[in-house]
């Protein structure tokens, strides 16, 4: 229901649902107060097909809202512009035991600040030029360690280029981009002439990004006494490494 619908719904019920409140001098005030048990009983009577727990919960919310509105200072209510949103904010502040809304005359001035904005957007060419000026080239080996080209792997390990490409496409070996199309392979991932077991799961956890997967593997990890997970992988701790990588990227 809309806020105004709630008030209209309640005021349309039996008068006994809304006894008036009295001041200390026994003068009757025109303030709205809802009896929760009577409201819930009325809701159950008028909505027999709706589950009782749902009606009771709705009744609690309606009663709390209307009773809060009824307890507000009449001047504060009169100062509202009449919008539903303002009424909602005012009543919620009463329910939350917050200070009442200040009357417009006493409200502090609002400071308006616009700032300088972001300026004129750069073209793609200008942005690329500025990025190149700011970027510092970093050698792949500085973080990836010793890397081999496919020809190096064939000479050292006897693995053909076709087999290497097949492993790369199945994420069984980690390949890093070097240049536009060339791939190089971190040498530390090989043991006994083959990639270590578990690399496929590491790449999968890194959403298929081989660079991210290798950085994670060679970064010291608390689960392995601050040694790189690659060391644990080479020691056969495949399950432990896979568990750690899933926790790292989940």
């Amino acid at each position: 229901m809309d806020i105004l619908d709630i008030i209209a719904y309640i005021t349309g019920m039996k008068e006994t649902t809304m006894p008036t409140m009295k001041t200390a001098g026994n003068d009757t005030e025109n303030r709205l107060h809802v009896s929760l048990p009577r409201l819930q009983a009325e809701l159950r009577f008028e909505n027999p097909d709706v589950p009782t727990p749902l009606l009771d919960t709705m009744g609690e919310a309606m009663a709390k809202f209307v009773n809060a509105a009824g307890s507000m200072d009449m001047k504060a209510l009169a100062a509202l512009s009449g919008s539903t949103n303002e009424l909602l904010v005012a009543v919620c502040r009463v329910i939350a035991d917050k200070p009442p809304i200040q009357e417009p005359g006493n409200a502090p001035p609002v400071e308006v600040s616009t700032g300088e904005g972001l300026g004129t957007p750069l073209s793609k060419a200008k942005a690329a030029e500025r990025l190149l000026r700011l970027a510092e080239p970093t050698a792949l080996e500085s973080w990836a360690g010793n890397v081999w080209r496919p020809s190096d792997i064939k000479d050292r390990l006897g693995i053909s280029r076709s087999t290497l490409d097949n492993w790369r496409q199945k994420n069984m070996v980690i390949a890093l981009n070097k240049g536009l199309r060339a791939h190089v392979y971190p040498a530390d991932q090989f043991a006994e002439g083959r990639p270590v077991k578990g690399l496929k799961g590491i790449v999968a956890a890194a959403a298929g990004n081989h660079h991210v997967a290798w950085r994670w593997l060679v970064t010291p990890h608390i689960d392995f006494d601050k040694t790189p997970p690659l060391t644990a992988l080479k020691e056969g701790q495949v399950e432990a490494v896979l568990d750690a990588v899933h926790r790292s990227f989940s």
Side-chain angles (χ1 to χ4, degrees):
M1 286 186 176
D2 184 83
I3 298 169
L4 299 181
D5 291 337
I6 292 175
I7 297 177
Y9 181 84
I10 293 178
T11 54
M13 288 183 173
K14 298 177 182 179
E15 185 176 354
T16 54
T17 305
M18 302 170 294
T20 55
M21 299 176 64
K22 295 183 179 181
T23 63
N26 292 326
D27 294 327
T28 300
E29 284 187 333
N30 186 23
R31 292 193 177 186
L32 186 64
H33 179 75
V34 176
S35 168
L36 177 58
R38 293 177 183 176
L39 173 59
Q40 290 175 328
E42 194 77 17
L43 285 172
R44 296 191 201 104
F45 177 78
E46 293 190 4
N47 303 274
D49 297 331
V50 180
T52 299
L54 180 60
L55 292 175
D56 288 347
T57 301
M58 182 183 295
E60 291 179 8
M62 293 168 68
K64 181 174 291 188
F65 178 88
V66 175
N67 290 340
S71 67
M72 292 178 63
D73 181 79
M74 295 297 103
K75 290 183 179 180
L77 284 174
L80 299 175
S81 67
S83 83
T84 302
N85 286 340
E86 288 191 21
L87 177 59
L88 175 61
V89 171
V91 173
C92 286
R93 291 178 68 86
V94 173
I95 295 175
D97 195 25
K98 298 293 184 181
I101 298 175
Q102 293 181 326
E103 296 184 16
N106 298 330
V110 177
E111 180 181 352
V112 179
S113 177
T114 58
E116 297 181 358
L118 297 177
T120 305
L122 297 175
S123 66
K124 289 185 178 180
K126 288 286 187 181
E129 180 184 348
R130 179 173 296 183
L131 183 60
L132 286 175
R133 292 202 308 266
L134 296 175
E136 295 183 0
T138 302
L140 182 66
E141 291 80 1
S142 66
W143 62 269
N146 187 26
V147 293
W148 289 340
R149 295 171 299 176
S151 58
D152 297 326
I153 295 176
K154 183 177 180 180
D155 294 340
R156 294 170 181 267
L157 305 178
I159 300 172
S160 66
R161 182 184 291 269
S162 60
T163 299
L164 200 58
D165 285 340
N166 184 45
W167 287 348
R168 176 177 58 83
Q169 292 171 10
K170 293 181 179 180
N171 292 329
M172 295 172 60
V173 66
I174 291 180
L176 306 178
N177 295 324
K178 189 168 186 179
L180 294 178
R181 297 183 179 180
H183 291 96
V184 291
Y185 299 81
D188 285 345
Q189 68 182 310
F190 294 95
E192 299 181 359
R194 290 182 58 89
V196 294
K197 293 182 179 180
L199 292 179
K200 186 174 183 178
I202 305 299
V203 176
N209 191 313
H210 287 219
H211 285 252
V212 172
W214 187 250
R215 279 186 178 272
W216 185 85
L217 277 171
V218 297
T219 301
H221 197 285
I222 190 172
D223 283 8
F224 308 106
D225 295 327
K226 298 183 179 180
T227 60
L230 180 63
T231 302
L233 210 58
K234 288 184 173 182
E235 293 173 352
Q237 302 180 49
V238 178
E239 294 299 326
V241 173
L242 291 178
D243 180 66
V245 74
H246 283 299
R247 283 187 282 106
S248 296
F249 289 106
S250 61

